Amino acid sequence: MSTLELVTPSTEESAPVTDTSTPAREETTPARFRSLMTGFPSGVAIITAEDTDHRPWGMTCSALCSVTVEPPTLLVGMRIDSPTLAAAMHSGRFAVNLLHAKGQETAELFASGDPDRFAVTVWDAPAGRGGPHLTEAARAVADCRITQTVRVGGQRMVFGQVYGIRELADTEPLLYGLRAYRSWPPPG
């Protein structure tokens, strides 16, 4: 695993600072931060991985973003005590299942922690996979190899280089924001 390099912009790239005073603000608490982020809708993904016994693990995730297209890399945030994270760290890989608009029930199931979630979900395990592919709930799957990780509070940020993409359905993505699921609005 490589280490994280912090880069400080040069003074030529930085805008001049003219006012260094800090306006009065309310304290930033976890509840206020959570409230702030509910107003920032995102797509919904289920991260999957397999442990040493090839047992599938998975979790619903909205802490996902693209980092770069060269090499194609995704960033996923997972709780430190997540069994899905443990499986991914052991195998060195994971899959990102991007859900379609009809995948809400699966998103809720994988967010619930139900130990039998894979028994009631349609999935397959193609050769070379990063983790299980949720074939009925996902519109696309990205198989990723872990290139580095960084711990931030109770989360581990996992950088995954995408080595495979599987398109499953040409449908609208599932979104989550304002503490509710929605589908992408139809063109209009």
Side-chain angles (χ1 to χ4, degrees):
M1 306 281 165
S2 58
T3 59
L4 180 65
E5 178 183 11
L6 298 177
V7 179
T8 305
S10 71
T11 54
E12 293 173 2
E13 297 173 355
S14 300
V17 177
T18 56
D19 182 8
T20 59
S21 64
T22 304
R25 298 180 192 163
E26 292 184 42
E27 180 182 354
T28 302
T29 64
R32 286 185 49 76
F33 184 72
R34 205 172 285 115
S35 178
L36 169 76
M37 294 312 296
T38 64
F40 186 70
S42 66
V44 181
I46 294 177
I47 309 305
T48 58
E50 294 176 335
D51 65 17
T52 55
D53 297 323
H54 301 288
R55 180 177 171 193
W57 291 94
M59 56 172 267
T60 301
C61 176
S62 59
L64 166 72
C65 69
S66 63
V67 177
T68 180
V69 295
E70 189 56 44
T73 303
L74 295 173
L75 174 66
V76 177
M78 294 188 257
R79 285 184 346 271
I80 290 293
D81 60 351
S82 165
T84 304
L85 173 62
M89 295 295 287
H90 175 76
S91 68
R93 57 191 183 176
F94 60 93
V96 176
N97 292 267
L98 301 177
L99 301 189
H100 57 65
K102 294 180 182 172
Q104 178 177 340
E105 188 175 308
T106 304
E108 291 170 342
L109 174 66
F110 277 77
S112 75
D114 183 336
D116 298 323
R117 55 189 165 252
F118 279 97
V120 296
T121 302
V122 178
W123 61 281
D124 70 9
R129 69 200 170 272
H133 291 191
L134 306 181
T135 56
E136 284 192 0
R139 60 188 315 273
V141 182
D143 290 303
C144 303
R145 188 173 303 103
I146 296 174
T147 57
Q148 66 183 8
T149 71
V150 178
R151 183 172 180 159
V152 179
Q155 298 274 314
R156 180 152 306 272
M157 307 313 294
V158 180
F159 292 83
Q161 184 172 339
V162 179
Y163 65 86
I165 296 173
R166 181 179 182 191
E167 301 285 338
L168 295 169
D170 185 20
T171 59
E172 294 81 22
L174 182 64
L175 302 176
Y176 186 78
L178 300 174
R179 295 188 173 104
Y181 290 97
R182 299 278 189 266
S183 63
W184 191 269

